[in-house]
């Protein structure tokens, strides 16, 4: 599937906190040209357009029907991802959406099926598995540096996004929380390195259901957390390897390593999965200590939006993309199963979908199973 333009024309839907970072990163990417931006609050869209030189500020409806937009960058809140992505597909647009792909498996399936039926492409964040850090880990695993991978430990724990986000409420709503906000980074990297997940179990809690905005003009405002704010998960991968994943907005400080991959012949220690770079360390049998394989972070490690750029290249050239809806579908099913387990006393839940490309460097396809 090729394309009749030298660049993919992008319309940005949702002009909140993260949109400026995307636009700054996309400004020097020849494969994409941002031609319009829209938001339910038009003043936000006008401010973003003025700051980044975006030529058009249509309404949301007009952007989704815009004949000059090839691809919609969906930066709406998680609850709106499915509706807006499906509307964009109905309008003949490709879509790259922030994570998660949707907040329910039924909506995720509709997205995948609609895109397939209309020969359109859907990509989804996170794209950190394309960065230098995850690629270095994948290379170490592929070359057998640590032998056969047998387990992974992953942890992302902090005191919550109200520390830095001026409007953090949506990050505590359905489809967000630490599991759905942070978990996609880790599960995307873990499935890229270890392959698909076959079974999960989890326990969860909400230590502080009332939260306080700590920054910006609304500092001091209180709000309620509608999701679990600490989740401990156990993962069983399809090849038999085991994993532990902790996601939390209730931890003041920690020295727990962000990501460790253990094999029969060694261990890899990596940076947090919501970053694109290093450091990456490895220690194998017989080594006296860990060796740095990749320093970090550096400016060349990767950037927010590189998955969108990869999707644009795939549209222009017809080759498969990497940060696909297929990968997002499997990750969402794992997240949903973890949440179900945590709300049901920790019972184990089997995963129906699978991925065909465990190393993350080839296009991922999905077998949806019966979910």
């Amino acid at each position: 599937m090729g394309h009749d333009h030298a660049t993919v024309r992008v319309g940005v839907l949702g002009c909140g906190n993260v949109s400026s970072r995307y636009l700054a990163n996309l400004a020097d990417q020849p494969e994409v040209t941002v031609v319009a931006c829209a938001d339910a609050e038009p003043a936000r869209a006008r401010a973003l357009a003025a700051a980044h030189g975006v030529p058009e500020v249509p309404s949301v409806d007009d952007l989704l029907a815009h004949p000059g937009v090839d691809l919609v960058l969906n930066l709406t809140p998680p609850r709106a991802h499915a509706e807006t992505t499906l509307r964009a597909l109905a309008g003949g647009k490709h879509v790259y959406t922030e994570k998660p792909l949707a907040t329910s498996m039924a909506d995720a399936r509709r997205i995948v099926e609609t895109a397939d039926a209309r020969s359109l492409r859907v990509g989804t964040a996170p794209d950190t598995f394309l960065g230098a850090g995850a690629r270095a880990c994948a290379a170490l695993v592929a070359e057998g540096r640590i032998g056969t991978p047998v387990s992974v430990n992953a942890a992302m724990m902090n005191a919550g996004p109200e520390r830095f986000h001026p409007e953090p409420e949506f990050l505590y709503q359905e489809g967000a929380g630490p599991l759905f906000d942070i978990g996609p980074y880790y599960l995307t990297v873990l499935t890229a390195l270890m392959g698909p997940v076959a079974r999960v179990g989890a326990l969860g809690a909400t230590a502080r259901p009332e939260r306080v905005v700590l920054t910006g003009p609304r500092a001091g405002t209180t709000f309620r957390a509608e999701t679990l704010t600490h989740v401990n998960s156990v993962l069983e991968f399809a090849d038999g390897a085991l994993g532990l994943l902790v996601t939390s907005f209730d931890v003041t400080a920690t020295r727990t390593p962000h990501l460790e991959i253990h094999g029969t012949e060694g261990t890899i220690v990596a940076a947090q999965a919501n970053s694109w770079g290093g450091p990456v360390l490895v220690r194998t049998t017989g080594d006296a200590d860990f060796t740095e394989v990749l320093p970090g972070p550096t400016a060349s490690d990767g950037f927010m939006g590189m998955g969108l750029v990869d999707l644009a290249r795939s549209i222009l050239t017809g080759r498969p993309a990497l940060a696909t809806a297929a990968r997002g579908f499997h990750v969402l099913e794992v997240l949903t199963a973890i949440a179900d387990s945590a709300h049901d006393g920790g019972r184990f839940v089997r995963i129906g979908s699978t991925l065909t490309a465990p190393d993350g460097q080839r296009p991922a396809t999905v077998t949806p199973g019966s979910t």
Side-chain angles (χ1 to χ4, degrees), residues 155-176:
M156 182 62 175
M157 301 181 284
N158 59 49
E162 62 267 36
R163 296 168 298 126
F164 59 84
H165 200 297
E167 297 181 342
E169 288 91 337
F170 78 97
L171 292 168
Y172 288 87
Q173 295 174 347
E174 177 188 356

Side-chain angles (χ1 to χ4, degrees), residues 68-136:
V69 170
D70 305 309
L71 182 152
V72 171
L73 170 57
N74 190 347
L75 303 181
T76 59
R79 283 179 171 176
H81 285 180
E83 176 194 355
T84 48
T85 293
L86 287 166
R87 287 182 63 192
L89 292 171
K93 316 298 185 191
H94 306 284
V95 180
Y96 186 86
T97 180
E98 254 301 328
K99 43 76 182 167
L101 178 65
T103 57
S104 75
M105 291 309 301
D107 283 342
R109 184 179 295 281
R110 278 193 286 272
I111 289 170
V112 171
E113 291 176 347
T114 301
D116 287 346
R118 299 182 67 90
S119 297
L120 293 168
R121 301 196 178 202
V122 176
T124 181
D127 52 16
T128 52
F129 78 104
L130 301 175
R135 292 202 314 271

Side-chain angles (χ1 to χ4, degrees), residues 39-289:
D39 193 279
E41 297 182 19
R44 281 184 174 180
R46 289 192 294 269
L48 184 72
H52 294 275
V54 179
E56 295 188 48
V57 186
S59 68
V60 169
D61 289 344
D62 288 345
L63 183 139
L64 291 171
H66 197 306
V69 170
D70 305 309
L71 182 152
V72 171
L73 170 57
N74 190 347
L75 303 181
T76 59
R79 283 179 171 176
H81 285 180
E83 176 194 355
T84 48
T85 293
L86 287 166
R87 287 182 63 192
L89 292 171
K93 316 298 185 191
H94 306 284
V95 180
Y96 186 86
T97 180
E98 254 301 328
K99 43 76 182 167
L101 178 65
T103 57
S104 75
M105 291 309 301
D107 283 342
R109 184 179 295 281
R110 278 193 286 272
I111 289 170
V112 171
E113 291 176 347
T114 301
D116 287 346
R118 299 182 67 90
S119 297
L120 293 168
R121 301 196 178 202
V122 176
T124 181
D127 52 16
T128 52
F129 78 104
L130 301 175
R135 292 202 314 271
C137 293
L140 290 168
V141 171
E143 71 187 35
R145 189 79 169 269
I146 62 167
T148 302
V150 295
S151 70
V152 292
N153 294 340
M156 182 62 175
M157 301 181 284
N158 59 49
E162 62 267 36
R163 296 168 298 126
F164 59 84
H165 200 297
E167 297 181 342
E169 288 91 337
F170 78 97
L171 292 168
Y172 288 87
Q173 295 174 347
E174 177 188 356
L179 179 62
F180 284 88
D181 184 46
I182 296 170
Y185 293 105
Y186 281 83
L187 285 168
T188 300
V189 169
L190 291 179
T191 55
L193 296 174
M194 307 290 288
V197 177
R199 190 169 65 131
V200 301
L203 294 173
T206 304
R208 292 186 291 119
E210 185 171 277
R211 317 293 287 212
V212 181
V213 180
L214 298 177
T215 188
R218 299 175 57 249
T221 303
T222 61
F223 63 95
R224 297 285 296 180
E226 299 175 13
T227 60
L228 295 171
T229 54
H230 186 107
V231 181
N232 288 6
S233 314
V234 178
L235 314 173
E236 181 182 25
F237 294 89
D239 67 357
L242 303 178
L244 298 174
L245 172 65
V246 181
T247 56
S248 181
F249 287 163
D250 287 331
V251 173
T252 299
T254 179
R255 289 185 173 180
T256 304
H258 292 294
L259 178 60
E260 290 190 342
I261 306 148
H262 309 123
T264 54
E265 304 295 333
T267 293
I268 300 167
V269 178
Q272 57 190 17
N274 59 335
S275 67
W276 285 261
V280 173
L281 309 175
V282 65
R283 180 174 178 177
T284 60
T285 302
D287 291 343
D289 202 350

Side-chain angles (χ1 to χ4, degrees), residues 296-307:
T298 67
S300 62
D301 289 334
F303 58 92
M304 178 176 284
M306 65 187 302

